DNA sequence: AGCCAGGTCTGCG
DNA sequence: CGCAGACATGGC
């Protein structure tokens, strides 16, 4: 792994908090080991560390790394565009340098099918087990790492092996998505070309993908920054800081979640997804 | 034991 | 449409 080692000097006006970015719940396969963040991107192991404005890497090219971390994106300008009230202002201050990654849509699709009604540590375990069981071992690494499984490898998997990954009721959805993507490899790249509402409804046609997962896949897998995923935490934050349920409305409910989503998009604008991620990142300090 | 976790689906009115 | 309950699993 000699090729692909180097250091990037981060610009002072383009902040990055590598640890927060890799651990905030948008990616599930990064591990901190002996001062380095280690993760498999594509079929290679990437090792990253940040010391102030120095970003040292081993594995990617500088170009691939910059794209993955969205270092080409003007973060202060994005944050200025969503910085419209004291609550988000506080979250922006708390999560300075958090960036939304550019990740593989297939991996994100499966990850957020797995992410329904569970917690982040368990999502990480499910994804790790899937990779260990169905991915390819990355050669020549001190610690065992595997690539994320291909659609084919998951689709062709024996049910007993898949069951051993302990996905619970998500298992059938994962198998179904794998079969569909293996059968129609153009479907995920095709979504990137669609207008947001059509992209969203295509994602919703996958079993196991509802409104929340679809918005996460759009935000994290397709970098559609206007997506505003509403999960339990965002719901709590929005109800405690921004809006009250309509009189007589049941909460939680899909109808109320639609209101929250519409409010988020209208209030924060074209990069509402960044606002969502900063609120999520600062969630512990934003709920009563 | 019971509730919660980055929800979604089904069956019913 | 809109609502209730079910759904696997694991931690607290």
């Amino acid at each position: 792994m000699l090729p692909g080692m180097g250091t990037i000097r981060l610009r002072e006006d383009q902040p990055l908090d590598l640890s927060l970015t890799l651990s905030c719940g948008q990616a599930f396969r990064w591990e901190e080991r002996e001062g380095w963040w280690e993760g498999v991107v594509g079929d290679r192991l990437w090792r990253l560390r940040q010391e102030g404005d120095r970003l040292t890497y081993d594995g990617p090219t500088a170009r691939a790394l910059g794209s993955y971390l969205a270092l080409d994106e003007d973060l202060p300008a994005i944050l200025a565009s969503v910085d419209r009230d004291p609550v988000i202002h506080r979250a922006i201050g708390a999560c300075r340098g958090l960036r939304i990654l550019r990740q593989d849509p297939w991996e994100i699709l499966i990850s957020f099918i797995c992410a329904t009604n569970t917690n982040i540590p368990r999502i990480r375990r499910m994804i790790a087990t899937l990779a260990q069981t169905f991915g390819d071992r990355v050669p020549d690494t001190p610690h065992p790492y595997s690539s994320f499984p291909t659609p084919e490898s998951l689709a062709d998997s024996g049910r007993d092996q898949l069951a051993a990954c302990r996905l619970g009721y998500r298992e059938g959805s994962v198998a179904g998505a794998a079969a569909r993507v293996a059968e129609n490899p153009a479907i995920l790249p095709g979504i990137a070309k669609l207008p947001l509402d059509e992209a969203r409804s295509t994602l919703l046609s996958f079993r196991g993908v509802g409104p929340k997962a679809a918005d996460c896949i759009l935000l994290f897998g397709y970098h559609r920054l206007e997506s505003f995923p509403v999960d339990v935490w965002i719901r709590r934050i929005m109800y405690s800081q921004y809006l009250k349920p309509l009189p007589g409305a049941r909460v939680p409910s899909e109808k109320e979640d639609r209101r929250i989503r519409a409010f988020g998009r209208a209030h924060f604008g074209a990069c509402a997804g960044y606002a969502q991620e900063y609120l999520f990142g600062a969630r512990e300090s934003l709920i009563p």
Side-chain angles (χ1 to χ4, degrees):
Chain A
M1 102 178 64
L2 275 178
M5 189 156 181
T7 298
I8 291 175
R9 183 77 63 165
L10 298 165
R11 292 174 45 176
E12 193 171 342
D13 62 340
Q14 288 300 326
L16 169 71
D17 184 331
L18 182 70
S19 295
L20 183 55
T21 296
L22 298 180
S23 66
C24 70
Q26 61 176 320
F28 301 104
R29 303 236 301 138
W30 289 94
E31 292 177 41
E32 194 168 24
R33 199 183 292 284
E34 294 166 6
W36 290 81
W37 282 98
E38 300 187 340
V40 179
V41 179
D43 57 1
R44 297 186 55 107
L45 175 64
W46 290 16
R47 301 176 72 240
L48 312 174
R49 78 187 294 168
Q50 179 180 18
E51 292 144 307
D53 65 347
R54 292 167 54 86
L55 176 62
T56 306
Y57 59 90
D58 182 4
T61 63
R63 182 185 191 80
L65 179 60
S67 170
Y68 183 82
L69 296 175
L71 294 177
D72 55 311
E73 201 157 68
D74 189 349
L75 184 59
I78 290 170
L79 296 178
S81 78
V82 302
D83 190 1
R84 299 185 181 182
D85 66 75
V87 176
I88 187 64
H89 188 79
R90 193 145 49 94
I92 289 171
C95 300
R96 180 184 150 77
L98 169 58
R99 286 177 181 267
I100 293 179
L101 299 167
R102 288 200 183 87
Q103 299 186 77
D104 173 45
W106 159 247
E107 179 169 340
I108 293 296
L109 170 67
I110 296 301
S111 298
F112 280 91
I113 287 175
C114 291
T116 63
N117 199 28
T118 187
N119 50 65
I120 292 181
R122 186 172 166 225
I123 301 166
R124 297 176 56 86
R125 272 200 307 280
M126 288 189 279
I127 301 300
T129 309
L130 281 177
Q132 195 176 342
T133 308
F134 300 107
D136 295 322
R137 270 299 313 277
V138 178
D140 307 321
T141 59
H143 192 83
Y145 283 106
S146 295
S147 59
F148 193 81
T150 62
E152 293 75 18
S153 64
L154 267 187
D156 297 342
S157 70
R159 274 311 160 95
D160 46 345
Q161 276 192 93
L162 194 52
C165 294
R166 313 291 295 168
L167 305 184
Y169 58 74
R170 305 156 190 83
E171 179 184 325
S173 300
V174 167
R180 182 169 171 193
V181 174
E183 169 74 20
N184 179 5
I187 188 169
L188 294 184
I191 288 174
K193 304 182 178 72
L194 297 177
L196 188 72
D197 55 339
E198 292 176 39
R200 192 168 190 268
S201 38
T202 305
L203 289 169
L204 287 172
S205 72
F206 283 84
R207 164 165 300 274
V209 176
K212 186 268 173 182
D215 286 335
C216 283
I217 296 163
L218 287 168
L219 183 58
F220 303 132
Y222 291 95
H223 217 68
R224 296 291 184 100
L225 300 184
E226 64 270 54
S227 301
F228 192 85
V230 178
D231 62 29
V232 287
W233 294 100
I234 292 300
R235 197 182 293 129
R236 283 176 195 153
I237 292 167
M238 297 303 280
Y239 281 145
S240 73
Q241 307 288 348
Y242 288 97
L243 76 174
K244 291 281 167 250
L246 286 177
R250 178 178 59 100
V251 310
S253 71
E254 185 44 41
K255 190 177 181 183
E256 275 292 305
D257 284 355
R258 274 199 299 273
R259 275 185 71 231
I260 296 174
R261 208 156 51 234
F263 176 90
R265 296 258 279 270
H267 181 67
F268 296 115
C271 297
Y274 257 97
Q276 191 273 5
E277 204 50 17
Y278 274 68
L279 292 173
F280 184 82
R283 61 191 176 283
E284 305 294 354
S285 62
L286 292 178
I287 50 179

